[in-house]
Amino acid sequence: SLSVERGECHKPIEDRDYKTLRRVKLGPDGKQAISIFEALARYRDWSTGEIYTLVHVRLVTGRTHQIRIHMSNLGHKLVGDDAYLQDESAKRQDREICSRIFLHKFRI
């Protein structure tokens, strides 16, 4: 569950290893990246007690994997995001809920 209701993430994103690793990372040598987020709703999985948060994210910049890495940095990894979620039990639990990454575009 997201620990704050709204906020901004201003963390530069390094993508120089993206072609080989298919992942990006945060770092001082990266390109400026700004995401504005707000928690819209919370949902409980009654079988596990886990709480999930529906979050609206507005991208000020549009970097590769920006939502994924910024939300991960905030401690709010995306359901089904195998690239940025390392915990195998969490990955299995996510697959029971959604067989792919739970990230959806609202508008362009």
Side-chain angles (χ1 to χ4, degrees):
S1 181
L2 192 61
S3 60
V4 294
E5 291 299 311
R6 63 180 46 99
E8 297 183 11
C9 186
H10 295 255
K11 301 276 184 165
I13 295 175
E14 295 181 9
D15 63 357
R16 71 174 160 259
D17 296 328
Y18 180 75
K19 287 183 181 180
T20 56
L21 299 177
R22 307 301 294 170
R23 292 173 45 133
V24 298
K25 64 181 181 178
L26 300 178
D29 296 330
K31 297 174 187 169
Q32 177 187 25
I34 302 169
S35 302
I36 300 169
F37 62 91
E38 177 181 10
L40 300 178
R42 298 196 192 300
Y43 303 93
R44 179 181 300 275
D45 179 340
W46 294 106
S47 64
T48 65
E50 187 78 28
I51 297 174
Y52 297 89
T53 307
L54 175 64
V55 179
H56 175 258
V57 181
R58 186 170 75 85
L59 301 177
V60 177
T61 54
R63 306 289 177 218
T64 301
H65 291 197
Q66 181 173 326
I67 292 173
R68 297 167 76 176
I69 194 71
H70 275 181
M71 295 309 291
S72 178
N73 178 254
L74 294 167
H76 189 70
K77 292 181 168 59
L78 304 179
V79 171
D81 190 357
D82 287 351
Y84 295 95
L85 181 60
Q86 303 304 314
D87 183 329
E88 289 300 322
S89 72
K91 286 182 184 182
R92 282 191 299 278
Q93 184 178 337
D94 282 1
R95 282 189 209 104
E96 291 177 16
I97 297 168
C98 185
S99 60
R100 60 192 192 98
I101 189 169
F102 206 72
L103 175 64
H104 303 279
K105 178 175 39 177
F106 176 59
R107 72 177 146 222
I108 298 176

